[in-house]
PDB file of all heavy atoms in Angstrom:
ATOM      1  N   PRO A 325       1.511  21.414  11.456  1.00 95.00           N
ATOM      2  CA  PRO A 325       0.526  20.939  10.494  1.00 95.00           C
ATOM      3  C   PRO A 325       0.082  22.066   9.556  1.00 95.00           C
ATOM      4  O   PRO A 325       0.247  23.244   9.882  1.00 95.00           O
ATOM      5  CB  PRO A 325      -0.637  20.499  11.372  1.00 95.00           C
ATOM      6  CG  PRO A 325      -0.513  21.306  12.610  1.00 95.00           C
ATOM      7  CD  PRO A 325       0.948  21.586  12.796  1.00 95.00           C
ATOM      8  N   ILE A 326      -0.444  21.680   8.409  1.00 96.00           N
ATOM      9  CA  ILE A 326      -1.045  22.677   7.517  1.00 96.00           C
ATOM     10  C   ILE A 326      -2.554  22.488   7.560  1.00 96.00           C
ATOM     11  O   ILE A 326      -3.034  21.398   7.893  1.00 96.00           O
ATOM     12  CB  ILE A 326      -0.539  22.551   6.054  1.00 96.00           C
ATOM     13  CG1 ILE A 326      -0.901  21.182   5.466  1.00 96.00           C
ATOM     14  CG2 ILE A 326       0.943  22.822   5.958  1.00 96.00           C
ATOM     15  CD1 ILE A 326      -0.909  21.171   3.956  1.00 96.00           C
ATOM     16  N   ARG A 327      -3.284  23.538   7.255  1.00 95.00           N
ATOM     17  CA  ARG A 327      -4.743  23.434   7.261  1.00 95.00           C
ATOM     18  C   ARG A 327      -5.242  23.122   5.859  1.00 95.00           C
ATOM     19  O   ARG A 327      -4.918  23.828   4.912  1.00 95.00           O
ATOM     20  CB  ARG A 327      -5.341  24.745   7.770  1.00 95.00           C
ATOM     21  CG  ARG A 327      -6.775  24.634   8.180  1.00 95.00           C
ATOM     22  CD  ARG A 327      -7.224  25.818   8.985  1.00 95.00           C
ATOM     23  NE  ARG A 327      -6.817  25.757  10.395  1.00 95.00           N
ATOM     24  CZ  ARG A 327      -7.346  24.934  11.306  1.00 95.00           C
ATOM     25  NH1 ARG A 327      -8.287  24.067  10.936  1.00 95.00           N
ATOM     26  NH2 ARG A 327      -6.953  24.955  12.546  1.00 95.00           N
ATOM     27  N   VAL A 328      -5.977  22.023   5.748  1.00 89.00           N
ATOM     28  CA  VAL A 328      -6.572  21.635   4.470  1.00 89.00           C
ATOM     29  C   VAL A 328      -8.077  21.629   4.676  1.00 89.00           C
ATOM     30  O   VAL A 328      -8.588  20.818   5.442  1.00 89.00           O
ATOM     31  CB  VAL A 328      -6.100  20.228   4.021  1.00 89.00           C
ATOM     32  CG1 VAL A 328      -6.779  19.836   2.715  1.00 89.00           C
ATOM     33  CG2 VAL A 328      -4.595  20.179   3.888  1.00 89.00           C
ATOM     34  N   GLY A 329      -8.765  22.587   4.024  1.00 91.00           N
ATOM     35  CA  GLY A 329     -10.193  22.724   4.278  1.00 91.00           C
ATOM     36  C   GLY A 329     -10.358  23.086   5.741  1.00 91.00           C
ATOM     37  O   GLY A 329      -9.745  24.026   6.217  1.00 91.00           O
ATOM     38  N   GLY A 330     -11.114  22.312   6.474  1.00 91.00           N
ATOM     39  CA  GLY A 330     -11.305  22.607   7.892  1.00 91.00           C
ATOM     40  C   GLY A 330     -10.421  21.800   8.809  1.00 91.00           C
ATOM     41  O   GLY A 330     -10.532  21.910  10.022  1.00 91.00           O
ATOM     42  N   SER A 331      -9.543  20.956   8.258  1.00 91.00           N
ATOM     43  CA  SER A 331      -8.777  20.067   9.151  1.00 91.00           C
ATOM     44  C   SER A 331      -7.273  20.191   8.981  1.00 91.00           C
ATOM     45  O   SER A 331      -6.786  20.684   7.973  1.00 91.00           O
ATOM     46  CB  SER A 331      -9.214  18.619   8.935  1.00 91.00           C
ATOM     47  OG  SER A 331      -9.012  18.264   7.592  1.00 91.00           O
ATOM     48  N   LEU A 332      -6.565  19.749   9.989  1.00 93.00           N
ATOM     49  CA  LEU A 332      -5.109  19.829   9.990  1.00 93.00           C
ATOM     50  C   LEU A 332      -4.500  18.566   9.405  1.00 93.00           C
ATOM     51  O   LEU A 332      -4.983  17.465   9.628  1.00 93.00           O
ATOM     52  CB  LEU A 332      -4.598  20.021  11.426  1.00 93.00           C
ATOM     53  CG  LEU A 332      -5.014  21.308  12.131  1.00 93.00           C
ATOM     54  CD1 LEU A 332      -4.529  21.284  13.576  1.00 93.00           C
ATOM     55  CD2 LEU A 332      -4.470  22.526  11.409  1.00 93.00           C
ATOM     56  N   ARG A 333      -3.425  18.749   8.654  1.00 96.00           N
ATOM     57  CA  ARG A 333      -2.692  17.617   8.088  1.00 96.00           C
ATOM     58  C   ARG A 333      -1.218  17.760   8.424  1.00 96.00           C
ATOM     59  O   ARG A 333      -0.665  18.848   8.329  1.00 96.00           O
ATOM     60  CB  ARG A 333      -2.845  17.576   6.561  1.00 96.00           C
ATOM     61  CG  ARG A 333      -4.248  17.274   6.085  1.00 96.00           C
ATOM     62  CD  ARG A 333      -4.593  15.814   6.269  1.00 96.00           C
ATOM     63  NE  ARG A 333      -5.870  15.473   5.673  1.00 96.00           N
ATOM     64  CZ  ARG A 333      -7.037  15.681   6.260  1.00 96.00           C
ATOM     65  NH1 ARG A 333      -7.081  16.282   7.440  1.00 96.00           N
ATOM     66  NH2 ARG A 333      -8.150  15.310   5.680  1.00 96.00           N
ATOM     67  N   TYR A 334      -0.614  16.636   8.778  1.00 97.00           N
ATOM     68  CA  TYR A 334       0.808  16.604   9.112  1.00 97.00           C
ATOM     69  C   TYR A 334       1.558  15.920   7.983  1.00 97.00           C
ATOM     70  O   TYR A 334       1.106  14.906   7.459  1.00 97.00           O
ATOM     71  CB  TYR A 334       1.036  15.822  10.410  1.00 97.00           C
ATOM     72  CG  TYR A 334       0.352  16.439  11.599  1.00 97.00           C
ATOM     73  CD1 TYR A 334      -0.999  16.210  11.849  1.00 97.00           C
ATOM     74  CD2 TYR A 334       1.052  17.255  12.480  1.00 97.00           C
ATOM     75  CE1 TYR A 334      -1.636  16.779  12.942  1.00 97.00           C
ATOM     76  CE2 TYR A 334       0.426  17.831  13.572  1.00 97.00           C
ATOM     77  CZ  TYR A 334      -0.919  17.588  13.800  1.00 97.00           C
ATOM     78  OH  TYR A 334      -1.543  18.157  14.879  1.00 97.00           O
ATOM     79  N   ASN A 335       2.711  16.454   7.621  1.00 97.00           N
ATOM     80  CA  ASN A 335       3.518  15.854   6.573  1.00 97.00           C
ATOM     81  C   ASN A 335       4.179  14.585   7.117  1.00 97.00           C
ATOM     82  O   ASN A 335       4.912  14.632   8.113  1.00 97.00           O
ATOM     83  CB  ASN A 335       4.576  16.855   6.100  1.00 97.00           C
ATOM     84  CG  ASN A 335       5.400  16.301   4.963  1.00 97.00           C
ATOM     85  OD1 ASN A 335       6.265  15.459   5.168  1.00 97.00           O
ATOM     86  ND2 ASN A 335       5.130  16.768   3.777  1.00 97.00           N
TER      87      ASN A 335
END
Side-chain angles (χ1 to χ4, degrees):
I326 61 159
R327 196 166 280 288
V328 178
S331 58
L332 297 175
R333 293 285 187 278
Y334 298 82
N335 183 285

